[in-house]
Amino acid sequence: MAYYYPEPSHTFSEYLLIPGYTSEDCVPDHVSLKTPLVKYRKGAEEPAISLNVPLTSAVMQSVSNDTLAIALAKEGGISFIYGSQSIENQAAMVARVKGYKAGFVTSASNLTPEATLADVLALKQRNGFSTVALTEDGTANGKLLGIVTSRDYRVSRMAPTDKVRDFMTPRQKLVTAPAETTLKEANDIIWEHKLNSLPIVDENDHLLYFVFRKDYSSHKDNPLELLDSKKRYLVGAGINTRDYAARIPALLEAGADVLVIDSSEGYTCWQEKTIKWVRDTYGDTVKIGAGNVVDKDGFRFLAEAGADFVKVGIGGSICITRETKGIGRGQATALIEVAAARDEYFKETGIYVPICSDGGIVHDYHMTLALAMGADFLMLGRYFARFDESPTNKVMVNGAYMKEYWGEGSNRARNWQRYDLGGSAKLSFEEGVDSYVTYAGPLRDNVEASLYKVKSTMCNVGVTNIPDLQQNAKLTLVSSVSIVEGGYHDVTLRSSSPVK
């Protein structure tokens, strides 16, 4: 007979934290959000990899590319570059993160001189950048032929069909600097020549980077940035259970610091085989996470298989696995059970396997709830998809700026490997949707605001670090009526009042 859980499963929105005693020292500036990313043994001084903030970005085409990975590493988190692309392209993204030089920006807007003013305006509308590099092949690293900025054209006096070559600033009039230029030297050149941007070129005059005047003040050290022993940003990468023997060596060669098996459901023989291959080939030197699971049995299976961390969660937001297949669990309930299984496993073996709450985060306060329920860190998709640094287009929808956002199980992504159960190599039905999310601006500003809320809530609870939050937090289930009571009610908001 089938087993029936006696209680319904719950979501984060059905819980609240109970305040604890707050001392004078318990203020947001004193809160540490440092947390382990990979497993470690009891008594070890430090895990092989820790995060300075408990945030990771989801293994998705519409979320985790190299630009978002760099931005998140600056803030102390890590991105997992999506694997639903060729091995060569994914490895190249990883390599760009590892080769990134702070203050040196790879050109995001590129055309050839044969493009038109209309192309320039469309590019600016799409990504918001006013500096466009003109290269021989229209790529970010092509031979530099000129640049166009908003000072080079006037829309009211020109035709959309005007060729860029007729109004661009040509190469011979540009001040450039060689590849070996330091950031200080580049900024000195910018100030000396009164430039807004300085192209950095190699010996063959191919464009490498831009250094921008507007970024000068942001070139100061980021105190929480996540770096390896060579002072390079840390970056992760997603893999699947099909081509891992070819993909993993390429990703490691490119510099990937940690891997994760990207799958909607992780309690499978295929994940076990993938982890075994990694251990047989590389021992414990390669760090690999697995998942997703929603109960103690799934966690125990992956922990015993050798996973360095385990992801928790099935379904929600962009993922419609619960809706299409009828499997999954409320995220809060799943997380609470898996956290208990992790603690039990630690007591038995002396090995602490971190867990990642993947999904279910709708509001910022859900982050704090997830950490209090036992998550060591969070994986977010929709949250990061809204930012400038995500790889999707910014578009106008019904008068508001939005960012495109689609699931790996959608027809647009067609990431069949993520849902592979050993059958044919195709996506048999959709387990994700294609959508928009509200544009929110730069990653840094938003992450800073969200984490300040997390820190403030932790102070209300009376703790200044994540382990104490997990140990000391008191949580209560709330009724539907109390959820309504907790928001504004019986008032008319001024912003929506037709005052005359």
Side-chain angles (χ1 to χ4, degrees):
M1 179 178 175
Y3 176 77
Y4 292 86
Y5 283 90
E7 295 290 334
S9 63
H10 297 286
T11 67
F12 293 132
S13 289
E14 296 175 81
Y15 283 89
L16 288 175
L17 284 157
I18 302 298
Y21 172 71
T22 303
S23 68
E24 290 183 358
D25 292 332
C26 196
V27 294
D29 286 346
H30 292 171
V31 173
S32 169
L33 295 178
K34 190 170 184 177
T35 190
L37 177 66
V38 297
K39 67 183 179 184
Y40 61 92
R41 286 193 172 274
K42 187 176 183 179
E45 292 185 5
E46 286 284 343
I49 305 175
S50 292
L51 302 174
N52 291 327
V53 300
L55 303 182
T56 67
S57 66
V59 192
M60 298 175 67
Q61 294 175 9
S62 55
V63 178
S64 295
N65 68 341
D66 49 309
T67 55
L68 190 126
I70 291 166
L72 183 53
K74 288 180 179 179
E75 302 309 311
I78 196 169
S79 289
F80 288 90
I81 303 295
Y82 67 91
S84 53
Q85 58 179 321
S86 71
I87 294 173
E88 294 76 18
N89 286 348
Q90 188 185 21
M93 282 191 180
V94 170
R96 285 198 290 273
V97 178
K98 301 305 290 186
Y100 176 79
K101 297 165 65 179
F104 292 78
V105 180
T106 301
S107 178
S109 296
N110 311 284
L111 295 170
T112 71
E114 296 306 308
T116 65
L117 174 61
D119 295 324
V120 172
L121 297 176
L123 199 55
K124 183 177 180 181
Q125 172 75 16
R126 188 161 66 245
N127 60 29
F129 302 123
S130 59
T131 299
V132 179
L134 290 316
T135 60
E136 198 168 60
D137 59 1
T139 68
N141 298 119
K143 187 172 182 178
L144 184 63
L145 301 179
I147 65 172
V148 164
T149 71
S150 55
R151 296 186 303 178
D152 293 313
Y153 58 85
R154 289 291 179 271
V155 176
S156 60
R157 299 183 180 183
M158 299 170 64
T161 55
D162 286 356
K163 294 287 187 181
V164 170
R165 63 170 183 259
D166 296 327
F167 60 87
M168 70 180 188
T169 301
R171 171 66 184 88
Q172 58 269 27
K173 291 186 179 180
L174 294 177
V175 176
T176 64
E180 60 273 15
T181 303
T182 67
L183 183 59
K184 182 182 184 306
E185 291 169 342
N187 281 316
D188 288 344
I189 294 170
I190 286 173
W191 286 99
E192 179 183 348
H193 293 274
K194 297 181 174 60
L195 305 174
N196 287 321
S197 62
L198 176 68
I200 308 297
V201 296
D202 65 14
E203 65 275 10
N204 296 314
D205 219 30
H206 285 77
L207 179 63
L208 298 175
Y209 310 103
F210 277 108
V211 177
F212 292 98
R213 173 190 287 261
K214 66 180 177 61
D215 291 338
Y216 178 76
S217 61
S218 68
H219 294 334
K220 300 174 182 177
D221 290 340
N222 297 289
L224 296 177
E225 61 187 355
L226 201 61
L227 303 173
D228 65 17
S229 60
K230 297 180 181 178
K231 304 300 181 184
R232 302 174 301 178
Y233 288 128
L234 263 62
V235 62
I239 63 167
N240 60 66
T241 57
R242 286 270 185 155
D243 66 4
Y244 56 86
R247 188 174 293 269
I248 290 176
L251 293 173
L252 297 176
E253 177 68 23
D257 297 286
V258 59
L259 308 173
V260 66
I261 302 173
D262 180 33
S263 174
S264 66
E265 205 275 291
Y267 194 180
T268 70
C269 62
W270 295 285
Q271 294 219 4
E272 183 181 40
K273 290 177 181 177
T274 303
I275 296 170
K276 183 178 186 302
W277 182 87
V278 169
R279 295 294 173 240
D280 290 344
T281 307
Y282 300 102
D284 290 328
T285 61
V286 170
K287 306 304 178 186
I288 180 169
N292 288 23
V293 300
V294 294
D295 68 358
K296 61 183 180 182
D297 295 337
F299 170 83
R300 172 72 68 154
F301 172 78
L302 291 176
E304 292 178 345
D308 284 293
F309 63 85
V310 174
K311 293 203 296 154
V312 181
I314 294 177
S317 186
I318 206 72
C319 175
I320 55 172
T321 297
R322 295 187 203 176
E323 183 179 328
T324 57
K325 296 171 74 173
I327 64 168
R329 201 176 192 186
Q331 185 67 8
T333 300
L335 185 57
I336 291 167
E337 180 174 321
V338 173
R342 174 205 56 203
D343 294 344
E344 181 182 342
Y345 186 78
F346 181 50
K347 288 179 182 178
E348 290 179 14
T349 66
I351 299 173
Y352 187 90
V353 181
I355 58 174
C356 167
S357 181
D358 179 13
I361 303 292
V362 180
H363 306 293
D364 286 348
Y365 82 90
H366 288 172
M367 296 181 184
T368 321
L369 286 171
L371 296 171
M373 290 173 181
D376 294 285
F377 58 95
L378 318 174
M379 179 168 278
L380 306 168
R382 181 196 61 83
Y383 178 83
F384 286 115
R386 304 173 301 144
F387 302 150
D388 286 325
E389 295 84 356
S390 75
T392 64
N393 294 324
K394 183 174 75 172
V395 296
M396 183 75 77
V397 178
N398 296 327
Y401 279 115
M402 312 288 282
K403 292 275 282 187
E404 295 176 314
Y405 179 48
W406 59 92
E408 291 296 289
S410 66
N411 271 325
R412 183 169 183 174
R414 303 200 68 79
N415 182 6
W416 61 269
Q417 296 97 329
R418 188 175 197 274
Y419 304 90
D420 179 34
L421 292 174
S424 57
K426 65 177 183 178
L427 187 69
S428 299
F429 55 88
E430 285 190 287
E431 293 189 45
V433 298
D434 192 350
S435 64
Y436 299 106
V437 289
T438 303
Y439 168 68
L443 179 147
R444 179 169 191 163
D445 295 347
N446 285 275
V447 165
E448 193 174 82
S450 295
L451 293 183
Y452 193 83
K453 293 178 187 177
V454 171
K455 291 179 179 181
S456 296
T457 304
M458 289 172 65
C459 290
N460 291 136
V461 174
V463 299
T464 56
N465 59 66
I466 292 173
D468 285 350
L469 176 66
Q470 294 169 342
Q471 185 68 31
N472 300 328
K474 294 182 291 185
L475 297 103
T476 181
L477 272 169
V478 293
S479 68
S480 59
V481 177
S482 62
I483 292 173
V484 173
E485 178 188 58
Y488 68 85
H489 57 87
D490 300 316
V491 296
T492 301
L493 295 182
R494 291 174 63 89
S495 60
S496 60
S497 302
V499 178
K500 295 182 180 179

